Amino acid sequence: MLFRSLPRPLVVFSVYTANPSVATDAALRATLQSIPPRCSSLLLGDFNSHSLLLGAARTNAAGRRLADTADDFDMLLANTPGTPTLHSPPGAIASAPDLAFASARLRSRVTGWRTDDDIGSDHLPVLFNIRSKQRQQTGRRRRWRTNDKTAKRYAEALASPLRGWTQHANARSAGQLWDSWRRIVLST
């Protein structure tokens, strides 16, 4: 779908990957390469992939490939990590196969990601908002690739802000902690 009512055209892709494979990953990459450079994009769907980088409790091969693809195309996760999007049987690990990615220029305008009440499916509805006006950014945000080469520098860049975060962790609600953590990571 292509929406032209926002400041930039917005391309929305809906994806269902029943059995993630190298072939489905190649198709996803080809789709993302087809996005015109002037467009913002949303990639939404049931990927059946698990990665710690995408908020899952574990990582599998499909999750590693999906995280790499998202990183290569500057697609940022909009989900709240740790929030399940699938009803799991009692005693099973909660799962979030339903993911929402936004292009880097759009991600700062995606707000309020959440799941809604059960509608009779084993998947929960996922809702979020897109602000129509982009806030003025002060300065250029540094981007980090998720590979071993930059991991040490990234950890060092996070160390100072996180020291202040942990000192006040006991005085905040879980929601406030998550918002604070997310701001630190996204601004680093």
Side-chain angles (χ1 to χ4, degrees), residues 154-164:
Y154 183 68
E156 290 168 355
L158 277 176
S160 177
L162 288 179
R163 270 195 288 293

PDB file of all heavy atoms in Angstrom, residues 154-164:
ATOM      1  N   TYR A 154      29.845   0.583  21.252  1.00  0.00           N
ATOM      2  CA  TYR A 154      28.453   0.815  21.628  1.00  0.00           C
ATOM      3  C   TYR A 154      28.272   0.646  23.134  1.00  0.00           C
ATOM      4  O   TYR A 154      27.635   1.466  23.793  1.00  0.00           O
ATOM      5  CB  TYR A 154      27.535  -0.138  20.856  1.00  0.00           C
ATOM      6  CG  TYR A 154      26.067   0.085  21.128  1.00  0.00           C
ATOM      7  CD1 TYR A 154      25.443   1.246  20.699  1.00  0.00           C
ATOM      8  CD2 TYR A 154      25.308  -0.859  21.797  1.00  0.00           C
ATOM      9  CE1 TYR A 154      24.094   1.471  20.934  1.00  0.00           C
ATOM     10  CE2 TYR A 154      23.964  -0.651  22.039  1.00  0.00           C
ATOM     11  CZ  TYR A 154      23.368   0.512  21.603  1.00  0.00           C
ATOM     12  OH  TYR A 154      22.040   0.725  21.846  1.00  0.00           O
ATOM     13  N   ALA A 155      28.849  -0.408  23.693  1.00  0.00           N
ATOM     14  CA  ALA A 155      28.757  -0.643  25.140  1.00  0.00           C
ATOM     15  C   ALA A 155      29.374   0.520  25.913  1.00  0.00           C
ATOM     16  O   ALA A 155      28.827   0.962  26.930  1.00  0.00           O
ATOM     17  CB  ALA A 155      29.438  -1.960  25.499  1.00  0.00           C
ATOM     18  N   GLU A 156      30.512   1.034  25.437  1.00  0.00           N
ATOM     19  CA  GLU A 156      31.148   2.171  26.099  1.00  0.00           C
ATOM     20  C   GLU A 156      30.270   3.424  26.005  1.00  0.00           C
ATOM     21  O   GLU A 156      30.149   4.182  26.965  1.00  0.00           O
ATOM     22  CB  GLU A 156      32.522   2.437  25.473  1.00  0.00           C
ATOM     23  CG  GLU A 156      33.549   1.354  25.801  1.00  0.00           C
ATOM     24  CD  GLU A 156      34.809   1.453  24.947  1.00  0.00           C
ATOM     25  OE1 GLU A 156      34.876   2.296  24.024  1.00  0.00           O
ATOM     26  OE2 GLU A 156      35.726   0.650  25.210  1.00  0.00           O
ATOM     27  N   ALA A 157      29.636   3.626  24.856  1.00  0.00           N
ATOM     28  CA  ALA A 157      28.770   4.795  24.679  1.00  0.00           C
ATOM     29  C   ALA A 157      27.538   4.715  25.584  1.00  0.00           C
ATOM     30  O   ALA A 157      27.027   5.731  26.042  1.00  0.00           O
ATOM     31  CB  ALA A 157      28.351   4.928  23.214  1.00  0.00           C
ATOM     32  N   LEU A 158      27.051   3.501  25.848  1.00  0.00           N
ATOM     33  CA  LEU A 158      25.887   3.323  26.714  1.00  0.00           C
ATOM     34  C   LEU A 158      26.237   3.385  28.195  1.00  0.00           C
ATOM     35  O   LEU A 158      25.373   3.666  29.026  1.00  0.00           O
ATOM     36  CB  LEU A 158      25.236   1.955  26.449  1.00  0.00           C
ATOM     37  CG  LEU A 158      24.286   1.859  25.282  1.00  0.00           C
ATOM     38  CD1 LEU A 158      23.822   0.422  25.111  1.00  0.00           C
ATOM     39  CD2 LEU A 158      23.096   2.760  25.454  1.00  0.00           C
ATOM     40  N   ALA A 159      27.472   3.099  28.550  1.00  0.00           N
ATOM     41  CA  ALA A 159      27.863   2.936  29.962  1.00  0.00           C
ATOM     42  C   ALA A 159      27.507   4.154  30.814  1.00  0.00           C
ATOM     43  O   ALA A 159      26.889   4.017  31.871  1.00  0.00           O
ATOM     44  CB  ALA A 159      29.350   2.630  30.065  1.00  0.00           C
ATOM     45  N   SER A 160      27.871   5.347  30.379  1.00  0.00           N
ATOM     46  CA  SER A 160      27.643   6.531  31.200  1.00  0.00           C
ATOM     47  C   SER A 160      26.158   6.828  31.412  1.00  0.00           C
ATOM     48  O   SER A 160      25.718   6.977  32.551  1.00  0.00           O
ATOM     49  CB  SER A 160      28.350   7.734  30.570  1.00  0.00           C
ATOM     50  OG  SER A 160      28.085   8.888  31.327  1.00  0.00           O
ATOM     51  N   PRO A 161      25.335   6.885  30.345  1.00  0.00           N
ATOM     52  CA  PRO A 161      23.921   7.158  30.595  1.00  0.00           C
ATOM     53  C   PRO A 161      23.243   6.063  31.418  1.00  0.00           C
ATOM     54  O   PRO A 161      22.349   6.338  32.207  1.00  0.00           O
ATOM     55  CB  PRO A 161      23.300   7.254  29.208  1.00  0.00           C
ATOM     56  CG  PRO A 161      24.381   7.127  28.217  1.00  0.00           C
ATOM     57  CD  PRO A 161      25.651   6.849  28.925  1.00  0.00           C
ATOM     58  N   LEU A 162      23.683   4.824  31.252  1.00  0.00           N
ATOM     59  CA  LEU A 162      23.041   3.736  31.994  1.00  0.00           C
ATOM     60  C   LEU A 162      23.405   3.755  33.474  1.00  0.00           C
ATOM     61  O   LEU A 162      22.620   3.310  34.303  1.00  0.00           O
ATOM     62  CB  LEU A 162      23.387   2.381  31.379  1.00  0.00           C
ATOM     63  CG  LEU A 162      22.702   2.122  30.037  1.00  0.00           C
ATOM     64  CD1 LEU A 162      23.109   0.762  29.488  1.00  0.00           C
ATOM     65  CD2 LEU A 162      21.198   2.193  30.173  1.00  0.00           C
ATOM     66  N   ARG A 163      24.583   4.285  33.813  1.00  0.00           N
ATOM     67  CA  ARG A 163      24.922   4.406  35.243  1.00  0.00           C
ATOM     68  C   ARG A 163      23.900   5.296  35.938  1.00  0.00           C
ATOM     69  O   ARG A 163      23.394   4.970  37.000  1.00  0.00           O
ATOM     70  CB  ARG A 163      26.336   4.966  35.418  1.00  0.00           C
ATOM     71  CG  ARG A 163      27.395   3.892  35.482  1.00  0.00           C
ATOM     72  CD  ARG A 163      28.727   4.407  36.019  1.00  0.00           C
ATOM     73  NE  ARG A 163      29.494   5.264  35.134  1.00  0.00           N
ATOM     74  CZ  ARG A 163      30.064   4.869  33.992  1.00  0.00           C
ATOM     75  NH1 ARG A 163      29.925   3.664  33.566  1.00  0.00           N
ATOM     76  NH2 ARG A 163      30.763   5.709  33.274  1.00  0.00           N
ATOM     77  N   GLY A 164      23.548   6.400  35.326  1.00  0.00           N
ATOM     78  CA  GLY A 164      22.537   7.285  35.897  1.00  0.00           C
ATOM     79  C   GLY A 164      21.163   6.628  35.917  1.00  0.00           C
ATOM     80  O   GLY A 164      20.387   6.806  36.852  1.00  0.00           O
TER      81      GLY A 164
END
